[in-house]
């Protein structure tokens, strides 16, 4: 794996205002994500990852040497999860689920509204730091949560959407009111990206983790 670079945001810091402030986004991307990138690069240098991709590494954490495994799990997950989170939001708050997306979500959750309610409930129920995910598990869509910087990749699930519920994702804007942050997040979902991840081989995802 080559040295990981800090992936630039596809929108500017003010793009998600007022739902997510430029201050939050700037700290979240330039400080938090940048720190994961730096620490991951240190860890993969020590480990000697060869030509594996980050997704391949995250899918086979049990093959890492014990002294580097925790750093690669935490920082590799931190890089993957944040890039996936940032690219799943859009400044164009008018994006709506396409017919294809709506049909798939309705099949497994009943409706878009029911999906949003279940996704919010999952985010609220995650104790401490972690993530809520929409994932593809075979033919079925499911909502799961992961703690810390754990990923669905290591569970063999294909991620479609993620929501950061670490306090740093919302504390500057919403203090302890995670529910208000989640309501804001649900308005920022890039449904075009959701469709892309459902239909095209996801940019995140190895063939094995998609089960294809
Ligand atoms: Mn975060």
């Amino acid at each position: 794996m080559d040295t990981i670079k800090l992936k630039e945001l596809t929108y500017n810091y003010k793009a998600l205002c007022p739902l997510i402030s430029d201050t939050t986004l700037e700290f979240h991307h330039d400080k938090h994500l940048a720190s994961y990138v730096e620490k991951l690069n240190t860890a993969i240098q020590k480990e000697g990852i060869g030509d594996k991709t980050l997704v391949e590494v995250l899918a086979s954490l049990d093959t890492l040497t014990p002294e580097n495994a925790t750093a690669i799990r935490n920082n590799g997950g931190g890089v993957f999860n944040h890039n996936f989170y940032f690219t799943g939001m859009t400044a164009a708050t008018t994006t709506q689920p396409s017919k294809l997306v709506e049909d798939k979500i309705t099949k497994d959750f009943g409706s878009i509204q029911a999906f949003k309610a279940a996704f919010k409930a999952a985010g609220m129920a995650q104790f401490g730091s972690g993530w809520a995910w929409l994932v593809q598990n075979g033919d079925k869509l499911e909502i799961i949560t992961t703690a810390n910087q754990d990923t669905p990749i290591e569970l063999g699930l294909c991620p479609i959407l993620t929501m950061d519920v670490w306090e740093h994702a919302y504390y500057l804007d919403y203090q302890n009111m995670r529910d208000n942050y989640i309501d804001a997040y649900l308005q920022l979902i890039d449904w075009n990206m959701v469709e892309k991840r459902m239909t095209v081989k996801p940019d995140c995802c190895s063939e094995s983790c998609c089960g294809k």
Side-chain angles (χ1 to χ4, degrees):
M1 182 158 60
D2 294 333
T3 303
I4 300 279
K5 292 193 172 63
L6 178 63
K7 200 171 165 183
E8 291 304 318
L9 293 173
T10 53
Y11 37 77
N12 68 47
Y13 295 123
K14 288 187 185 296
L16 309 182
C17 288
L19 297 172
I20 293 178
S21 68
D22 49 332
T23 313
T24 290
L25 206 50
E26 194 168 347
F27 271 98
H28 205 169
H29 179 271
D30 292 11
K31 304 293 183 195
H32 288 276
L33 175 53
S35 167
Y36 288 119
V37 168
E38 191 184 322
K39 289 174 183 160
L40 176 60
N41 282 327
T42 304
I44 60 177
Q45 259 183 348
K46 281 191 202 160
E47 177 74 8
I49 291 297
D51 57 4
K52 277 187 180 175
T53 65
L54 178 57
V55 166
E56 287 166 346
V57 170
L58 293 171
S60 57
L61 291 170
D62 53 353
T63 64
L64 298 170
T65 52
E67 58 268 35
N68 297 324
T70 302
I72 292 177
R73 179 194 192 98
N74 290 343
N75 296 298
V79 170
F80 176 84
N81 292 348
H82 283 96
N83 284 331
F84 205 76
Y85 168 70
F86 289 132
T87 53
M89 294 188 289
T90 177
T93 54
T94 52
T95 70
Q96 296 295 331
S98 65
K99 178 82 169 61
L100 182 148
V101 170
E102 186 168 359
D103 285 350
K104 278 177 176 280
I105 285 184
T106 300
K107 177 173 155 282
D108 291 321
F109 299 101
S111 67
I112 295 288
Q113 276 317 110
F115 160 72
K116 285 183 177 176
F119 201 65
K120 179 174 180 175
M124 291 301 292
Q126 170 58 34
F127 181 75
S129 297
W131 302 77
W133 298 87
L134 174 65
V135 298
Q136 185 90 40
N137 184 4
D139 291 338
K140 205 171 179 320
L141 293 171
E142 293 175 356
I143 293 171
I144 66 163
T145 57
T146 60
N148 304 314
Q149 295 298 354
D150 292 350
T151 74
I153 307 288
E154 64 199 84
L155 304 172
L157 301 169
C158 186
I160 302 288
L161 189 67
T162 193
M163 175 170 66
D164 192 341
V165 293
W166 284 59
E167 282 189 347
H168 67 236
Y170 60 86
Y171 214 88
L172 292 174
D173 297 332
Y174 298 99
Q175 293 76 48
N176 60 326
M177 293 174 288
R178 188 187 283 188
D179 61 330
N180 292 354
Y181 158 69
I182 293 177
D183 288 340
Y185 170 85
L186 292 171
Q187 297 176 59
L188 294 169
I189 293 172
D190 184 345
W191 290 103
N192 297 331
M193 181 60 84
V194 170
E195 174 164 354
K196 191 175 157 203
R197 289 169 176 170
M198 283 178 173
T199 53
V200 182
K201 183 183 143 193
D203 53 5
C204 60
C205 206
S206 68
E207 298 207 350
S208 60
C209 100
C210 290
K212 287 176 185 165

